[in-house]
């Protein structure tokens, strides 16, 4: 099944039906309007039967004009910006309605074709014609306003759901992003360990398996336990240590109560990956990575510092502020969190590249 089909199915299930107008809504609307109109005129003229007969004649005309306008004239002329033609046809329709209502009233009510009017009327007059046409225009406009409002709500809901779907897809893609070079390097290291028949090989394979399991399944969730995210980071660090001997010094500190704290999955690991991609892998001398994780009430303080590569430190060209990994983080925060729920700071100090994230968890 294609992505477009999935999206259409999703939208039809969740948004279109929310504002679906079926025959029951039409019946309810016209019944309520008929009762209201009948009671209103009977109260004015103190004659319920006359009001009922007048409405039985008028309502089929109301409905015919309203539906003709909403389902034919507006789609064919207004939506195609043929306003002059539309105006002419509306006036012609109202005039035709006037003749039909006049005739029906004359034959079924009596010679006085305007019994609800201010005076007895036995012929067509300008005042009668204007009043009848304006009244029908009012009913038709009222129905059109309801239809346009429902259509707008339906389209707005579709756009909203589509936007949510696109954001969800983008978020899932961003969550799954982790450098393929990491996996290739890890597999090469495992291969070397197996050739050496090292006792570390089974442990490394297990850590890689746990990391890949997390990457595959955690990205399907909107939120993940903070502890699981930190376990993933620990596995990642253990695997990266294979590439660097004693030249790499990793210090990690975790404090605070992690219980019940949740975070978007794969949110923190791009920061760690950035240390290796733009730090350790480009460094000639000793490399230090400091990771400090502290949870205070509902706030996570996450700080990562890594040694700036020597060639970048000596160069007049300023170091890049991270690359894809940190761009990923920024985008994830924008899409997944409210602006007031996080603060991200990226800066260089004392030959160290620092990333500090404060996040509500």
């Amino acid at each position: 099944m294609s992505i477009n089909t999935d999206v259409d199915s999703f939208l039809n299930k969740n948004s279109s039906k929310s504002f679906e107008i079926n025959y029951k809504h039409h019946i309810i609307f016209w019944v309520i309007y008929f009762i209201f109109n009948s009671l209103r005129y009977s109260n004015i003229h103190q004659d319920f039967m006359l009001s009922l007969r007048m409405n039985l004649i008028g309502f089929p005309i109301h409905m015919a004009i309203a539906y003709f306008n909403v389902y034919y004239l507006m789609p064919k002329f207004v939506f195609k910006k043929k306003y002059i033609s539309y105006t002419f046809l509306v006036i012609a329709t109202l005039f035709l309605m006037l003749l039909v209502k006049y005739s029906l009233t004359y034959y079924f009510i009596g010679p006085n074709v305007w019994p609800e009017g201010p005076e007895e009327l036995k012929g067509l007059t300008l005042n009668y014609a204007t009043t009848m046409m304006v009244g029908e225009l009012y009913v038709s406009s009222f129905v059109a306003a309801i239809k346009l409002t429902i259509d707008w709500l339906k389209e707005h809901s579709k756009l909203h759901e589509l936007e949510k779907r696109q954001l969800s897809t983008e978020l899932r893609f961003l969550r799954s992003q982790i450098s393929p070079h990491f996996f290739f390097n890890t597999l090469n290291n495992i291969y070397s360990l197996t050739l050496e028949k090292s006792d570390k090989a089974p442990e490394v394979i297990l850590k890689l398996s746990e990391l890949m399991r997390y990457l595959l399944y955690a990205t399907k969730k909107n939120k993940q336990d903070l502890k699981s995210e930190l376990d993933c980071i620990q596995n990642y660090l253990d695997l990266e240590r294979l590439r660097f001997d004693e030249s790499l010094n990793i210090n990690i500190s975790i404090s605070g109560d992690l219980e019940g704290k949740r975070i978007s999955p794969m949110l923190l690991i791009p920061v760690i990956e950035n240390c290796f991609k733009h730090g350790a892998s480009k460094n000639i001398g000793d490399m230090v990575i400091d990771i400090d994780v502290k949870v205070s009430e509902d706030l996570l303080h996450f700080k990562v510092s890594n040694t700036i590569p020597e060639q970048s430190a000596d160069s007049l060209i300023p170091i890049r502020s991270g690359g894809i990994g940190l761009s990923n983080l920024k985008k994830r925060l924008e899409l997944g969190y409210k602006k007031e729920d996080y603060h991200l700071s990226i800066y260089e100090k004392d030959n160290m590249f620092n990333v500090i994230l404060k996040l509500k968890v």
Side-chain angles (χ1 to χ4, degrees):
M1 186 179 291
S2 67
I3 293 176
N4 289 334
T5 304
D6 288 339
V7 172
D8 289 340
S9 175
F10 177 82
L11 294 178
N12 289 333
K13 181 184 293 185
N14 292 278
S15 59
S16 297
K17 290 186 179 179
S18 300
F19 300 101
E20 192 81 31
I21 303 178
N22 57 42
Y23 72 94
K24 294 180 181 178
H25 298 115
H26 289 267
I27 293 173
I28 292 172
F29 170 79
W30 288 113
V31 167
I32 292 174
Y33 192 40
F34 179 85
I35 293 173
F36 171 78
N37 225 33
S38 298
L39 292 175
R40 183 168 67 95
Y41 277 115
S42 68
N43 185 57
I44 294 173
H45 302 287
Q46 301 298 314
D47 191 340
F48 178 75
M49 292 307 299
L50 175 63
S51 175
L52 186 63
R53 285 190 297 164
M54 289 299 300
N55 277 287
L56 285 173
I57 290 175
F59 255 75
I61 297 174
H62 296 334
M63 295 170 67
I65 293 177
Y67 286 132
F68 181 64
N69 178 55
V70 167
Y71 291 107
Y72 180 76
L73 292 181
M74 290 181 67
K76 195 170 183 65
F77 296 98
V78 175
F79 298 159
K80 295 180 180 179
K81 299 182 179 181
K82 298 178 180 179
Y83 302 121
I84 296 177
S85 299
Y86 173 74
T87 302
F88 173 78
L89 287 171
V90 166
I91 294 174
T93 302
L94 291 175
F95 184 74
L96 179 62
M97 169 279 308
L98 171 67
L99 298 178
V100 171
K101 186 173 184 178
Y102 177 86
S103 301
L104 291 175
T105 305
Y106 183 84
Y107 286 107
F108 290 101
I109 302 297
N112 181 15
V113 294
W114 198 7
E116 75 275 23
E119 58 183 5
E120 186 174 339
L121 183 68
K122 296 184 178 180
L124 278 173
T125 65
L126 181 61
N127 185 32
Y128 172 78
T130 303
T131 302
M132 293 298 106
M133 292 176 70
V134 169
E136 292 299 335
L137 184 62
Y138 162 77
V139 175
S140 180
S141 300
F142 181 60
V143 173
I146 295 175
K147 180 67 166 58
L148 289 174
T149 301
I150 294 295
D151 287 346
W152 180 85
L153 289 171
K154 188 187 296 184
E155 290 302 315
H156 182 72
S157 178
K158 279 185 179 182
L159 289 174
H160 180 65
E161 292 296 340
L162 181 58
E163 183 179 287
K164 283 172 62 178
R165 192 64 176 270
Q166 288 173 335
L167 290 178
S168 177
T169 302
E170 186 175 357
L171 269 172
R172 187 166 294 180
F173 170 72
L174 289 169
R175 290 173 191 162
S176 65
Q177 277 191 330
I178 187 169
S179 175
H181 298 294
F182 163 76
F183 290 107
F184 287 128
N185 289 330
T186 303
L187 289 172
N188 285 332
N189 290 330
I190 293 173
Y191 177 70
S192 300
L193 291 173
T194 54
L195 288 179
E196 297 170 4
K197 298 183 180 179
S198 172
D199 294 336
K200 294 182 180 179
E203 182 183 355
V204 172
I205 293 173
L206 181 61
K207 287 185 179 294
L208 181 61
S209 173
E210 290 175 352
L211 180 60
M212 292 184 70
R213 184 182 295 109
Y214 184 81
L215 295 179
L216 286 171
Y217 295 109
T219 55
K220 296 180 181 180
K221 301 178 182 179
N222 289 327
K223 297 287 183 178
Q224 180 63 275
D225 290 337
L226 178 58
K227 187 177 183 303
S228 298
E229 181 81 1
L230 296 177
D231 288 341
C232 174
I233 288 175
Q234 187 63 62
N235 285 331
Y236 183 91
L237 292 172
D238 291 341
L239 291 171
E240 284 286 16
R241 280 191 178 98
L242 293 174
R243 298 170 56 193
F244 306 92
D245 297 325
E246 297 179 356
S247 61
L248 177 62
N249 183 16
I250 300 176
N251 304 306
I252 181 168
S253 171
I254 300 175
S255 61
D257 183 15
L258 306 181
E259 193 66 32
K261 303 300 186 293
R262 297 176 67 79
I263 189 174
S264 293
M266 299 298 297
L267 184 70
L268 304 179
I269 211 163
V271 183
I272 307 299
E273 185 187 15
N274 186 74
C275 294
F276 292 95
K277 188 174 181 181
H278 299 291
S281 62
K282 296 184 178 182
N283 199 30
I284 299 174
D286 292 337
M287 181 70 184
V288 176
I289 297 177
D290 293 325
I291 303 170
D292 184 48
V293 181
K294 185 186 298 181
V295 177
S296 177
E297 296 182 353
D298 63 346
L299 196 63
L300 167 68
H301 298 262
F302 181 72
K303 180 179 180 180
V304 178
S305 304
N306 65 271
T307 309
I308 296 176
E310 291 180 357
Q311 61 268 37
S312 296
D314 296 335
S315 174
L316 295 176
I317 302 174
I319 192 170
R320 294 184 302 168
S321 60
I324 295 176
L326 296 185
S327 297
N328 181 317
L329 173 63
K330 292 174 183 177
K331 191 69 172 177
R332 290 279 309 279
L333 289 170
E334 290 172 4
L335 294 176
Y337 288 89
K338 296 179 182 177
K339 194 171 182 180
E340 61 270 20
D341 288 345
Y342 71 90
H343 177 73
L344 179 64
S345 178
I346 302 172
Y347 64 94
E348 299 174 26
K349 185 178 180 181
D350 298 331
N351 202 39
M352 297 290 287
F353 186 76
N354 304 279
V355 178
I356 297 177
L357 173 64
K358 294 179 182 179
L359 180 69
K360 188 175 182 180
V361 291

